[in-house]
Amino acid sequence: SAEQGGSARLSDICRLARALEAPVRARLGEAFIQIGDSAVSPAAILGEVRDAYIARLAAYHAEHKLRARAPRAEIQRARVAPTLLAHVEESLADEGVIRLTGAHVALAAHAPADHLTPDQRSRMDGLARALKDQGLSPAGPAALIEAPADADLLGLLVDAGEVIRLTNVSLKQTLFFHAEAVSSGAEVLKASFPGGAAFTTGEARETLQTSRRHIVPLLEYFDAAGLTQRRGDTRYMV
């Protein structure tokens, strides 16, 4: 049953049946589906797991309408065999029913923007404007997030590419920057340190008139985007 994991290893079935793999596969027929390289699952159980997965995901979206994705760990069921879960997720993704992004998942039909009220749209625009005005020294999330939906609205701005979410790992802080401010910052650095001129973190901070709290995740973002390259304690524009 799905409660017991929902799948079995072919080798175990062969051992119990005292038969070789080929005849065992033939006898299992269409009532069983191969899962991965070495396991099978009853087609009925597979259908149950699939339906339950979609239902849980739909319930999550209904409860959190403004969130683009759900944590996969919340949608997966611990009692279902990992190989069976992986098969179900891969099948649903291949069929275009769900979108998998790392540790998150969403129904392909889920469109959070469709659920925004006029007030929420206005608030989202206000958050974007505030971040744009704050440039490369934006306030932390604690100062930005005033209402229950604000975190989800910021998430939608990130998904839209209007806002960039960065992390200062050493300070364990999440920071939100307006994408245009980040793009402008890259242009300023390019103009200030032309021709492969090396610069330190401190020099970049002074040039962009921001704080160490902000410059470290910004430079790491530029590194990852291929705009800057690190060489020891200095960087240069690529």
Side-chain angles (χ1 to χ4, degrees):
S1 74
E3 297 302 318
Q4 270 85 50
S7 73
R9 286 199 302 255
L10 263 172
S11 57
D12 290 340
I13 297 172
C14 293
R15 182 171 47 79
L16 291 168
R18 296 179 182 177
L20 296 172
E21 189 175 306
V24 165
R25 282 182 190 274
R27 280 164 62 189
L28 290 174
E30 292 180 4
F32 286 77
I33 308 292
Q34 184 163 342
I35 304 295
D37 295 330
S38 58
V40 291
S41 176
I45 295 291
L46 189 64
E48 282 177 28
V49 172
R50 177 191 168 97
D51 292 346
Y53 188 97
I54 292 171
R56 284 194 302 278
L57 187 49
Y60 185 95
H61 287 326
E63 189 178 347
H64 306 286
K65 290 184 176 68
L66 300 184
R67 290 184 196 169
R69 289 172 287 278
R72 280 168 80 170
E74 275 194 45
I75 307 304
Q76 296 170 338
R77 277 168 63 190
R79 284 176 291 192
V80 174
T83 48
L84 180 52
L85 265 177
H87 178 85
V88 165
E89 284 188 326
E90 285 167 20
S91 301
L92 289 171
D94 288 345
E95 292 164 29
V97 177
I98 64 172
R99 292 188 300 263
L100 292 172
T101 8
H104 292 83
V105 60
L107 287 172
H110 176 56
D114 293 349
H115 300 287
L116 287 168
T117 65
D119 283 349
Q120 286 168 337
R121 284 187 186 278
S122 175
R123 174 63 180 154
M124 194 162 80
D125 291 342
L127 285 167
R129 273 198 309 275
L131 284 172
K132 196 171 181 182
D133 291 344
Q134 290 165 20
L136 294 178
S137 299
L144 276 173
I145 296 168
E146 298 172 359
D150 282 356
D152 290 340
L153 296 177
L154 277 169
L156 291 181
L157 286 167
V158 170
D159 283 333
E162 197 170 340
V163 167
I164 295 171
R165 181 196 285 116
L166 300 181
T167 304
N168 186 316
V169 178
S170 61
L171 297 179
K172 296 179 181 175
Q173 285 183 337
T174 298
L175 295 166
F176 294 91
F177 294 80
H178 197 281
E180 285 185 21
V182 173
S183 181
S184 296
E187 290 301 318
V188 170
L189 283 180
K190 194 174 179 181
S192 303
F193 303 101
F199 58 89
T200 63
T201 299
E203 286 169 336
R205 178 179 56 74
E206 288 170 19
T207 300
L208 297 179
Q209 298 181 313
T210 186
S211 70
R212 183 165 179 81
R213 175 169 77 110
H214 295 97
I215 197 64
V216 171
L218 272 170
L219 290 175
E220 287 172 353
Y221 174 78
F222 292 149
D223 291 344
L227 296 170
T228 53
Q229 194 161 334
R230 194 168 181 172
R231 189 194 286 139
D233 292 333
T234 62
R235 285 180 170 82
Y236 60 93
M237 301 303 294
V238 176

